[in-house]
Amino acid sequence: MRALLLIDIQNDFLPGGALAVPEGDAILPVVNRLQSQFDVIVATQDWHPPQHKSFASQHEDKNVFEVTDLNGLEQVLWPDHCVQGTLGAEFSAELEQNRIEAIFRKGTDPEVDSYSGFFDNGHRKNTALAGYLRAKGVTEVYLAGLAADFCVYFSAKDALAEGFKVYYLEDAVRAISAEGFEKAKTDLAERGVQLVPSHTLLLQ
């Protein structure tokens, strides 16, 4: 059984958003076309409280994109984004959502960030995503979404560690930086993740 994981396709990560991923909206037509190829589709959603410690605004004398320590973990300080209940936290209106059967929210603990859809950054708590997929009989996961070099990358690593066969849909993701994208792809390939273009699925 194959599952499509839609990672954080939210307004704040799209053009005009608080933490916009360059050309993030370009994945929307691809993602919408892909959904018909899967029996199981789930989505993750960044869902931060307003005082989340990953926000630069919560640290005096710190700047956006500065790297600091947050409870023993290296932390990039982000602009306020995907705050619970705000428009920025909502999924894109252009994302077809009818076939999404479950949504896993992450980043709800103000003391730790959560890039992966499976765990927080310290692997202290899991989101129950892996258990949900196993209960559905899923053995292969295909990842699409934002950002390719952060939340999609960390979700792919954790999916692999959880025993799934993992496919990273190269044209259904966009990265914060080109350099980060190349590093993520190289690392994932070395770990055994399959990097594939979406058209290989659409031809099946």
Side-chain angles (χ1 to χ4, degrees):
M1 180 83 75
R2 304 186 307 182
L4 177 63
L5 306 189
L6 303 178
I7 307 296
D8 300 359
I9 306 178
Q10 297 166 256
N11 291 326
D12 269 345
F13 296 129
L14 295 167
L19 185 50
V21 177
E23 299 180 353
D25 54 341
I27 72 169
L28 287 161
V30 180
V31 167
N32 288 339
R33 286 197 302 271
L34 280 170
Q35 293 188 39
S36 64
Q37 306 299 309
F38 291 88
D39 296 315
V40 178
I41 301 171
V42 300
T44 67
Q45 187 176 26
D46 239 15
W47 196 249
H48 295 307
Q51 293 80 34
H52 200 276
K53 298 292 179 59
S54 70
F55 296 164
S57 63
Q58 299 301 306
H59 302 265
E60 289 187 17
D61 304 319
K62 297 285 187 183
N63 298 311
V64 171
F65 302 123
E66 191 171 332
V67 178
T68 189
D69 179 277
L70 179 59
N71 297 318
L73 298 172
E74 184 178 280
Q75 178 66 52
V76 177
L77 295 179
W78 304 108
D80 290 23
H81 66 279
C82 297
V83 173
Q84 297 168 0
T86 64
L87 179 63
E90 292 180 9
F91 293 118
S92 168
E94 295 177 41
L95 174 66
E96 291 182 10
Q97 300 178 43
N98 291 345
R99 300 189 69 243
I100 296 172
E101 61 181 61
I103 297 166
F104 290 83
R105 287 175 167 169
K106 60 193 184 66
T108 58
D109 183 340
E111 300 298 326
V112 61
D113 211 353
S114 296
Y115 297 150
S116 169
F118 292 87
F119 293 93
D120 64 60
N121 288 2
H123 278 222
R124 296 161 184 166
K125 293 180 182 177
N126 74 66
T127 63
L129 173 55
Y132 180 88
L133 294 173
R134 289 193 192 100
K136 290 282 185 178
V138 170
T139 56
E140 300 181 0
V141 296
Y142 290 72
L143 289 97
L146 305 168
D149 46 346
F150 280 92
C151 296
V152 184
Y153 166 63
F154 282 93
S155 296
K157 286 203 300 181
D158 281 345
L160 197 65
E162 287 294 308
F164 297 101
K165 189 169 184 179
V166 183
Y167 296 84
Y168 184 91
L169 295 164
E170 290 185 88
D171 58 330
V173 297
R174 288 295 185 276
I176 290 176
S177 79
E179 180 185 6
F181 190 31
E182 292 308 314
K183 284 183 178 179
K185 288 194 293 184
T186 298
D187 184 53
L188 292 175
E190 289 174 353
R191 293 170 183 268
V193 172
Q194 300 293 310
L195 309 181
V196 296
S198 64
H199 70 77
T200 60
L201 296 176
L202 296 170
L203 292 173
Q204 293 179 13

